[in-house]
Amino acid sequence: MKRTLKLAAALAFCLQLPAAHAHNFWLLPSSTVLSKASYITVDAAVANDIFHFNHVPLRVDNLVVSAPDGSTVPTENLQQGKLRTVFDLNLTQTGTYRLAVVNDGVMAMWKEGDQPKRFRGNAEGFAKEVPANATELRVTESVSRLETFVTVGKPTAIQPTGKGLELVPVTHPNDLFAGESATFRFQVDGKPAAGIEVVLVRGGSRYRNQLEEIKLTTDAEGKFSVKWPQAGMYWLDADVTDDKTTVKQAKERRLSYVATFEVLPE
Amino acid sequence: MRRTLLLATGLLAAAPALAANIDLEVEIPRLSVAEYHRPYVAAWIERPDNSVAANLAVWYDGKMRNNEGTKWLKDLRQWWRRAGRELEVPIDGVTSATRAPGKHSLSFAEGSAPLGKLPAGEYRLIVEAAREVGGRELLTVPFQWPPQKAEQLKAQGQHELGAITVQLKP
């Protein structure tokens, strides 16, 4: 069962589609707070154990690294290994960089006679490849955002995109300290996402017996606060479904948000 | 109380010769380690809301090629978030080279840079040290300003800092 899920996750990600129950993928930057313009290196992988490379590399075809001035930073030395993807970034400007992998797509299952058929791709592909009169057609749309933030010098504001499920910082994500509280707001298509469950897991789970997940729920304004119990790299995951589909045959839209935050000791 | 403080401030303003003073002594411990680098050290004054009232001193390696020494300023984590990331180093009268183990005395006069004028109230003097291939330590000395009488306040470091002595003189 577990294996099936993992496989599904891997497959889904390779096809640029998030699966419903396996969002254990992440970006892991070598630094998140810098006092001098410099290179960082970033690992990207899919595995059930947070920040441990033990499954498959993450495809980063849809990675966009935005500099503080809004320009795009190219990846350097991008390599896909057996267990992880690695790339370098030359951060030359002062301010906050956003590293985001945004995947959206359509997944369809139907029958042609007795034959089960499947489709994964984008809305255009769906229109072309899935017959309009397909029987037992089940269509799901998905939008996933995977991101992390890195700041050189003084942090700058992070602008929401207004698309899909996303985290809007109230506390800057590169200003997180153990023992302090941080507040973030979730929104879906630019509107507050109330009542969403947010899960936080600190890295290094291999060296403890319990996962020590922190589970929180967003309030009416889509906000939640977390008091960081200790320093470390944290993985954040939130998922929600709604019916705001763009493909009319799709009944459900799955939205997911995953991010990595570094919490420093006081 | 408040009135007294206001009065005191008024008097000080009227008589700059009587400006209050902060003498700070920072001890950098001698460590027996295979690879020793002098620590980066920052000393500053914070208000109760953590905002910075004055940057007193920052010791870092400003002599490296391409400003390479600024790479580790972020390791003075609290100073970096409270003040450092908003500033351009070097800062005249604040930044200087790293210092050897031993006791280092600094004196700050009210009305002169870098202490400047502190409105009457509660403050914290903070000393933070971070050492390459070593650890980090932060010490806090709370105090009231202006001092009513000569006062000596102390904090004792365990790792990267030794004794911190703050002498307040009205």
Side-chain angles (χ1 to χ4, degrees), chain A:
Chain A
M1 175 62 184
K2 200 165 171 189
R3 208 159 146 190
T4 325
L5 283 179
K6 273 187 173 178
L7 195 68
L11 205 70
F13 221 92
C14 290
L15 294 158
Q16 306 300 341
L17 270 171
H21 297 288
H23 291 129
N24 295 7
F25 43 80
W26 65 83
L27 293 172
L28 183 60
S30 58
S31 287
T32 61
V33 175
L34 297 160
S35 48
K36 185 180 193 300
S38 59
Y39 270 97
I40 62 160
T41 188
V42 182
D43 293 315
V46 181
N48 280 349
D49 303 317
I50 307 304
F51 308 139
H52 293 300
F53 314 110
N54 56 14
H55 189 46
V56 291
L58 179 73
R59 282 190 56 179
V60 292
D61 304 18
N62 292 342
L63 169 76
V64 176
V65 180
S66 311
D69 70 355
S71 63
T72 302
V73 182
T75 59
E76 294 180 40
N77 304 317
L78 176 70
Q79 281 213 47
Q80 189 174 309
K82 293 288 184 197
L83 299 177
R84 66 174 167 175
T85 299
V86 181
F87 56 89
D88 295 335
L89 295 171
N90 189 9
L91 309 183
T92 56
Q93 295 175 28
T94 296
T96 301
Y97 291 74
R98 170 188 242 150
L99 287 59
V101 182
V102 180
N103 290 312
D104 48 18
V106 180
M107 189 162 61
M109 288 195 291
W110 71 97
K111 275 193 173 163
E112 278 175 20
D114 284 345
Q115 284 285 73
K117 293 276 182 183
R118 264 170 181 275
F119 166 83
R120 288 175 198 265
N122 58 20
E124 288 148 38
F126 173 81
K128 255 187 243 159
E129 289 175 38
V130 180
N133 58 354
T135 52
E136 293 180 44
L137 178 65
R138 277 162 53 210
V139 186
T140 305
E141 257 184 73
S142 64
V143 184
S144 85
R145 170 174 285 272
L146 164 67
E147 61 188 10
T148 193
F149 303 93
V150 179
T151 295
V152 180
K154 192 180 173 181
T156 48
I158 293 155
Q159 298 303 329
T161 66
K163 283 181 219 147
L165 178 63
E166 66 182 326
L167 177 132
V168 184
V170 177
T171 305
H172 196 284
N174 295 133
D175 202 5
L176 308 177
F177 282 80
E180 291 186 7
S181 283
T183 303
F184 304 104
R185 194 159 50 84
F186 265 108
Q187 57 183 40
V188 172
D189 297 338
K191 294 188 187 74
I196 287 185
E197 186 180 83
V198 181
V199 178
L200 284 156
V201 183
R202 199 176 75 253
S205 59
R206 185 185 289 167
Y207 312 115
R208 58 182 189 260
N209 292 324
Q210 302 304 317
L211 205 49
E212 295 175 14
E213 284 177 305
I214 302 171
K215 286 189 178 175
L216 301 155
T217 306
T218 60
D219 66 12
E221 294 172 355
K223 278 189 193 163
F224 72 96
S225 291
V226 55
K227 189 176 177 188
W228 306 106
Q230 46 180 295
M233 278 289 186
Y234 283 77
W235 179 84
L236 178 149
D237 177 39
D239 303 271
V240 66
T241 57
D242 66 16
D243 57 6
K244 297 195 178 81
T245 57
T246 52
V247 175
K248 69 176 192 317
Q249 293 93 330
K251 286 199 177 64
E252 190 181 68
R253 183 173 70 150
R254 291 175 185 169
L255 301 152
S256 88
Y257 180 90
V258 174
T260 302
F261 297 118
E262 187 173 31
V263 177
L264 298 172
E266 271 225 302

